[in-house]
């Protein structure tokens, strides 16, 4: 998953960091001028879906451009990644949230009145990659717009199958998808992840998901979106949010799992700023 560094922001420095800093990239879209979204394509290794199967999924816009995903945790609160709002947390009027649509460009629009970025967020290591966005008006709950249950407690969820969704690119440095997509990934322990990525890269605020051979992952444009367990297409209310799409080395590469912000560890902050 290439860091999804939004449109006008060029994240060259992150790839050049040395001395133990994280050289991976966050996952918001980096789309060249004139690039068009692809219809009916797949998240890396996944498939298209509809919003009624993931009704807590939202699309985030800044200055009229799609930049990230997010999830509804209150009728007026969206949870997302800190890197999606970094440097703009004091300009909430530049953001817009769209809910209830299979396409990222559709849905009901909601203005943002406040942005809360974790004060310990580190743009070099992507640690504490979490933010909340307070909407100017509450969403209407229906088949296409619902809240997601957040995980609590001390489980690592290692060995669980997670489901990640979003409108991100279908390949590394590819085009975003017009329609919502999802993919199932295997959640790893942090010990297993450190064995792959090296010590000192993964913190307690992070979790990893993927496969040794790669092939299935979130990608650019999926940043801030949900990683859930217990997802059911027939009953999405069963879903439990365990992670927030954060960063990774490329997209779906072998021995390179996707990295997510760990909801259980960050839950106290999320509740306090919701």
């Amino acid at each position: 998953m290439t860091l999804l560094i939004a449109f006008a922001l060029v994240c060259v420095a992150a790839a050049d960091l040395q001395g133990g800093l994280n050289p991976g990239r966050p996952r918001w879209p980096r789309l060249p001028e004139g690039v068009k979204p692809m219809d009916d394509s797949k998240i890396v290794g996944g498939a298209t879906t509809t919003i009624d199967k993931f009704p807590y999924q939202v699309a985030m816009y800044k200055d009229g451009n799609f930049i990230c995903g997010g999830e509804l945790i209150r009728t007026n609160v969206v949870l997302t990644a800190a890197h999606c709002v970094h440097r703009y947390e004091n300009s909430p009027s530049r953001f817009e949230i769209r809910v209830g649509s299979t396409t990222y460009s559709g849905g009901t629009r909601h203005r943002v009145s406040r942005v809360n970025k974790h004060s310990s967020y580190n743009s070099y290591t992507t640690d504490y990659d979490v933010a909340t966005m307070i909407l100017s008006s509450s969403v209407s709950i229906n088949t296409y717009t619902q809240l997601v249950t957040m995980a609590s407690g001390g489980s690592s969820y290692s060995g669980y199958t997670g489901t990640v969704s979003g409108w991100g690119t279908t390949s590394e440095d590819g085009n975003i998808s017009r329609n919502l997509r999802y993919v199932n990934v295997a959640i790893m322990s942090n010990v297993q992840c450190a064995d792959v990525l090296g010590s000192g890269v993964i913190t307690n605020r992070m979790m990893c998901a993927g496969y040794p051979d790669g092939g299935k992952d979130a990608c650019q444009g999926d940043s801030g979106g949900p990683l859930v367990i217990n997802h059911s297409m027939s009953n999405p209310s069963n879903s439990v949010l365990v992670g927030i799409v954060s960063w990774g080395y490329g997209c779906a590469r072998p021995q390179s799992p996707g990295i997510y912000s760990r909801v259980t560890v960050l839950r106290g902050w999320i509740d306090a700023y919701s």
Side-chain angles (χ1 to χ4, degrees), residues 9-10 34 58 65 69 74 122 124 129 174 176 194 222-223 226 243 257 267:
L9 298 177
V10 179
V58 307
N65 296 312
R74 307 277 190 272
N122 187 316
Y124 296 105
D129 193 15
I176 60 174
D222 291 319
S223 273
R267 180 67 189 271

Side-chain angles (χ1 to χ4, degrees), residues 191-208:
V191 172
Q192 292 171 317
C193 195
D195 286 342
V196 174
L197 299 182
S199 62
V201 176
I202 304 302
T203 73
N204 291 337
R205 276 75 56 188
M206 301 176 188
M207 62 191 303
C208 304

